[in-house]
């Protein structure tokens, strides 16, 4: 998704773009996650700024291709289970409002007007009308197509070619060399490997997540609905298993239940503990789910960075190398803003956002 967005905005900026992927389109984490475009889970700061920029760009793209990639501006509802939890959520929302996020407090009956099938007795929550959703694999495929970029799939980058002065001059692949004055590392969870091939470092690590998929149902869940503790889980640095319920209906009918988080390397083994915790959390929010069949689960590896911010922009250690990876659990939402900023950096324009918080060389060398 991130590579597709970089290709689109770079091509629109007039550059000649080739996209190289060792797999098919959306064969990485993009094909193994969900497609929420969220502001609700982000505190004021650089990630929220990027989410707001990205949200505007997604909205623009939706005007052109929204139906194709199932763009749905359905809004999010964050639910508190106790009055203390509601007060904390409201404080969090207050900060977001100051940063320009639309965050409406909902209490009592208001919550059930938004989501009639929620468990009874919940004290309230916050409604975020700006949260929206796309179907990630379709979005990646269509942005690539719209970019007009040359697409080389089934081709692995084995090295980044550099001049004697250390400047990038292209990539070596398992099927020949490609020459270019600039290379964008959009290798997601594998961004550390690609950085190493260019002789530099980036501490991207996999953070595993399972999603549970139900049988197709009528639209009983209207928004993206999640428990207030989700925000703390997302921000956590712990490697241990964390699950907080995130429930959303889809246009096709199945309800998606996420989202677990744990750092266990690239282990694809099914985890009953993770999936059971997801089911328990979801039925706690929506009791009707207890009578619904789960059809399957799937697993993906989020590109985790130690400070939960992606690397976006030129790498001062390797002239001609740019990074656009490490977006963890928000790479679909943040892809458009990232692509736009990368295109600005590639064409030496002043970026719309300050790239300093996203600098690829912000980590001490030993962390990489
Ligand atoms: C369970 C789960 C739920 C999620 N839910 C959401 C959500 O609701 N909203 C959201 O915004 N994000 C979500 N995410 C996160 C999101 O999926 C990722 O942040 C995003 O897909 C990252 O996109 P990417 O393009 O950077 O990486 P990828 O999609 O992984 O793309 C990287 C590509 O690089 C290629 N590659 C790697 N190394 C090489 C090489 N040497 N040569 C050639 N090609 C190479 C790979 O084949 C891959 O196709 C979720 C993730 C998970 C796991």
């Amino acid at each position: 998704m991130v590579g597709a967005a970089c290709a689109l905005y770079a091509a629109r900026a007039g550059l000649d773009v080739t996209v190289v992927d060792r797999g098919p389109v959306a064969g990485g984490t993009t094909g193994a996650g969900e497609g929420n475009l969220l502001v609700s889970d982000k505190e004021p700061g650089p990630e929220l700024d990027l989410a707001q920029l990205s949200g505007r760009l997604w909205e623009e793209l939706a005007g052109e291709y929204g139906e194709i990639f199932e763009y749905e501006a359905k809004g999010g509802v964050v639910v508190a289970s106790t009055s203390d939890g509601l007060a904390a959520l409201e404080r969090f929302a207050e900060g977001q409002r100051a940063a320009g996020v639309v965050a409406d407090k909902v209490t009592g009956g208001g919550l059930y007007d938004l989501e009639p099938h929620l468990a009874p007795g919940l004290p309230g929550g916050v409604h975020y009308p700006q949260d929206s959703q796309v179907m990630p694999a379709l979005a990646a495929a269509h942005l690539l197509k719209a970019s007009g970029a040359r697409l080389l799939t089934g081709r692995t980058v084995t090295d980044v070619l550099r001049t004697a002065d250390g400047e990038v001059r292209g990539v070596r692949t398992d099927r020949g060399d490609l020459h270019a004055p600039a290379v964008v590392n959009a290798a997601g969870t594998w961004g550390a490997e690609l950085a190493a091939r260019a002789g530099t470092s980036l501490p991207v690590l996999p953070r595993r997540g399972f999603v549970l998929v139900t049988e197709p149902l009528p639209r009983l869940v209207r928004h993206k609905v999640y428990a207030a503790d989700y925000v703390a889980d997302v921000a956590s640095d712990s490697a241990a298993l964390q699950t907080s319920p995130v429930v959303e209906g889809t246009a096709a009918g199945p309800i998606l239940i996420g989202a677990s988080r744990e750092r266990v390397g690239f282990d694809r083994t099914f985890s009953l503990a993770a999936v059971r915790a997801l089911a328990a959390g979801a039925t706690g929010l929506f009791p009707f789910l207890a009578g619904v069949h789960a059809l399957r689960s799937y697993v993906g590896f989020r590109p985790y960075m130690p400070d939960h911010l992606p690397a976006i922009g030129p790498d001062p250690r390797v002239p001609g190398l740019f990074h656009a990876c490490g977006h963890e659990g928000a790479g679909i939402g943040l892809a458009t803003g990232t692509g736009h900023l990368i295109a600005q950096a590639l064409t030496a324009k002043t970026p719309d956002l300050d790239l300093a918080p996203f600098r690829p060389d912000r980590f001490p060398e030993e962390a990489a």
Side-chain angles (χ1 to χ4, degrees):
M1 183 73 251
V2 175
C6 290
L8 179 78
Y9 290 104
R12 284 188 173 179
L15 299 178
D16 181 15
V17 182
T18 301
V19 177
V20 187
D21 200 306
R22 65 183 171 196
V25 170
T29 309
T30 295
E34 296 164 84
N36 297 297
L37 320 177
L38 301 184
V39 287
S40 56
D41 63 345
K42 296 175 181 65
E43 62 181 0
E47 197 191 15
L48 179 59
D49 296 341
L50 181 59
Q52 288 172 308
L53 170 66
S54 297
R56 289 193 290 276
L57 295 169
W58 272 118
E59 219 177 306
E60 264 173 46
L61 292 175
E64 297 171 70
Y65 319 107
E67 234 172 89
I68 302 174
F69 54 66
E70 299 178 7
Y71 178 84
E72 209 186 333
K74 64 186 193 179
V77 178
V78 185
V79 179
S81 52
T82 62
S83 49
D84 282 355
L86 183 59
L89 184 58
E90 181 46 32
R91 281 194 298 278
F92 184 71
E94 195 54 54
Q96 293 174 310
R97 275 182 215 115
V101 173
V102 182
D104 303 322
K105 186 175 179 180
V106 274
T107 46
L111 194 56
Y112 297 93
D113 291 340
L114 291 170
E115 287 294 341
H117 300 284
L118 272 172
L122 294 166
V126 176
H127 177 217
Y128 291 89
Q130 293 160 320
D131 281 357
S132 49
Q133 185 180 9
V134 293
M135 202 293 195
L138 285 176
H142 281 278
L143 295 198
L144 276 174
K145 191 173 163 197
S147 74
R150 213 171 293 106
L151 176 62
L152 304 175
T153 50
R155 203 152 155 166
T156 302
V157 173
T158 55
D159 206 357
V160 175
L161 304 171
R162 297 166 73 189
T163 63
D165 298 340
E167 279 176 33
V168 162
R169 60 181 186 89
V171 291
R172 174 147 299 155
T173 78
D174 55 350
R175 288 159 63 193
D177 291 354
L178 300 165
H179 295 286
V183 168
V184 179
N185 172 13
T189 311
W190 301 272
E193 283 171 32
L194 208 99
R197 286 187 179 127
T200 186
S201 61
L202 204 61
V204 193
L205 293 168
R207 196 175 187 193
R208 185 169 79 171
F210 283 96
V211 174
L212 190 57
V213 185
T214 74
E215 60 188 316
L217 296 167
R219 204 64 188 258
L220 298 173
V221 179
R222 299 173 182 171
H223 302 81
K224 178 195 166 86
V225 182
Y226 62 93
D229 4 332
Y230 173 81
V231 177
D233 277 8
V234 171
S236 162
D237 296 326
S238 167
L241 173 65
Q242 291 155 328
T243 53
S244 45
V246 180
V247 182
E248 63 186 290
T250 60
I255 291 179
L256 304 183
I257 299 169
S260 63
R261 297 184 136 72
E262 57 194 320
R263 280 197 288 114
V264 289
F266 285 102
D267 180 0
R268 302 192 69 86
T269 317
F270 176 74
S271 165
L272 183 59
V275 173
R276 183 177 273 159
L278 293 179
T283 52
L285 270 182
F286 287 100
F288 79 87
L289 286 172
V292 165
H293 290 105
L295 286 191
R296 65 187 182 98
S297 73
Y298 60 85
V299 64
F301 300 99
R302 302 176 185 88
Y304 168 91
M305 296 276 266
D307 62 359
H308 304 279
L309 286 177
I312 303 173
D315 191 325
R317 300 163 296 185
V318 183
L321 180 67
F322 295 73
H323 297 280
C325 59
H327 296 73
E328 205 184 323
I332 309 303
L334 303 179
T336 46
T338 302
H340 175 72
L341 293 169
I342 286 288
Q344 289 181 319
L346 285 166
T347 52
K349 295 225 164 66
T350 307
D352 286 358
L353 292 184
D354 178 13
L355 294 183
F358 306 112
R359 277 180 72 111
D361 61 339
R362 66 188 186 271
F363 302 99
E365 283 301 311
E366 60 274 15

